[in-house]
Amino acid sequence: MPIYEYRCENGHLFEVMQKITDDPVTHCETCEAPVARVFHPVAVHFKGSGFYNTDYGTSKRKRELEKSASSGADKHDAKQADKKSEKKSEASPAPAKKPD
């Protein structure tokens, strides 16, 4: 049977174990004031294919991270910088020579 939490207008909190088919509690056990059921958020975990696979490590992902860590991030950044400078030099034309 589920346990439901209630709060009265005067701030009293209490829990009641009752069946789903039972009528909800309407008055506080302590002061007989009207009550409202207290709802709490539920933790949800999305697992399986189709969700963010980077959130849950796989053996392939683990190998990739170990490989990048052993090669060093600075080497990777330097390679990227070299590629960018090559592209810039290819895209910009050589300066024109002045006729003599």
Side-chain angles (χ1 to χ4, degrees), residues 1-48:
M1 275 196 290
I3 299 174
Y4 295 102
E5 186 174 1
Y6 291 92
R7 177 182 291 131
C8 77
E9 293 176 349
N10 297 328
H12 297 116
L13 278 173
F14 60 96
E15 295 177 346
V16 178
M17 186 183 313
Q18 59 188 136
K19 293 180 184 178
I20 294 174
T21 58
D22 289 347
D23 292 331
V25 177
T26 56
H27 291 46
C28 180
E29 297 174 342
T30 308
C31 64
E32 296 297 322
V35 296
R37 190 177 288 170
V38 179
F39 294 99
H40 297 282
V42 178
V44 178
H45 298 279
F46 296 105
K47 294 184 179 180

Side-chain angles (χ1 to χ4, degrees), residues 73-89:
D74 294 337
K75 292 178 185 176
H76 177 51
D77 293 341
K79 288 179 184 177
Q80 294 297 328
D82 289 343
K83 287 181 183 178
K84 286 182 182 178
S85 64
E86 287 176 6
K87 286 182 182 179
K88 284 183 181 178
S89 63

